[in-house]
Amino acid sequence: MTEQAPPSADLWSGIDDLWTWLDANRPIGGQEGLLLRVLKLSEEVGEVAEAVIGATGQNPRKGVTHTWDDVQAELCDVVITALVVLRTLTPDTREVFAGHLARVRERSLGRA
C-alpha cells in the first residue's frame, strides 16, 4: 500500500502543474494575459450562478438543469482558478495564501 501525500501537498502541486501548463500554452502574455486570467475567475463564478439557478429550477423556461453536485464542481473550478491566478501573481502562493487565511481566521474567529 502506498502512502498518499497530505491533501495540501496535492493541492499545491496540482496548482503548480496547472499554472505551468497554462503559462506554456497561453496565447496572450504580459499584462493583457494576466488580466484575461483574472477575468477567467469571473467566468467561473458565473458558472456557479448558472448551476445554482439550474439546480433550483429558477428559470421556468428551462426547469431543473443542474444538480447540487454540479454546483460543487463549479465551486471547485472557482477555487482552482483563483489559486492559479494567485500563482500567476506570485511564486510564493502557498505562503501568501496561508498568511491571508491566518489573518482572516484571526479576524473572524479570534484565533489563528
Side-chain angles (χ1 to χ4, degrees), residues 2-100:
T2 59
E3 189 174 310
Q4 290 185 342
S8 61
D10 290 344
L11 169 71
W12 294 115
S13 65
I15 295 302
D16 286 342
D17 291 347
L18 288 168
W19 173 80
T20 299
W21 174 73
L22 284 169
D23 222 44
N25 292 288
R26 64 180 166 163
I28 299 171
Q31 191 73 11
E32 188 177 5
L34 172 61
L35 293 175
L36 290 169
R37 194 163 286 175
V38 171
L39 284 177
K40 178 68 175 166
L41 187 56
S42 293
E43 177 190 12
E44 295 297 344
V45 170
E47 291 176 9
V48 172
E50 181 181 7
V52 168
I53 289 168
T56 57
Q58 290 303 300
N59 183 337
R61 185 175 55 81
K62 294 181 180 179
V64 175
T65 58
H66 292 74
T67 66
W68 288 103
D69 286 343
D70 295 325
V71 175
Q72 290 175 17
E74 296 299 343
L75 286 168
C76 288
D77 286 348
V78 168
V79 172
I80 292 165
T81 302
L83 290 175
V84 169
V85 172
L86 183 59
R87 173 60 183 90
T88 301
L89 292 173
T90 177
D92 299 325
T93 311
R94 297 173 197 205
E95 294 80 11
V96 169
F97 185 79
H100 189 76

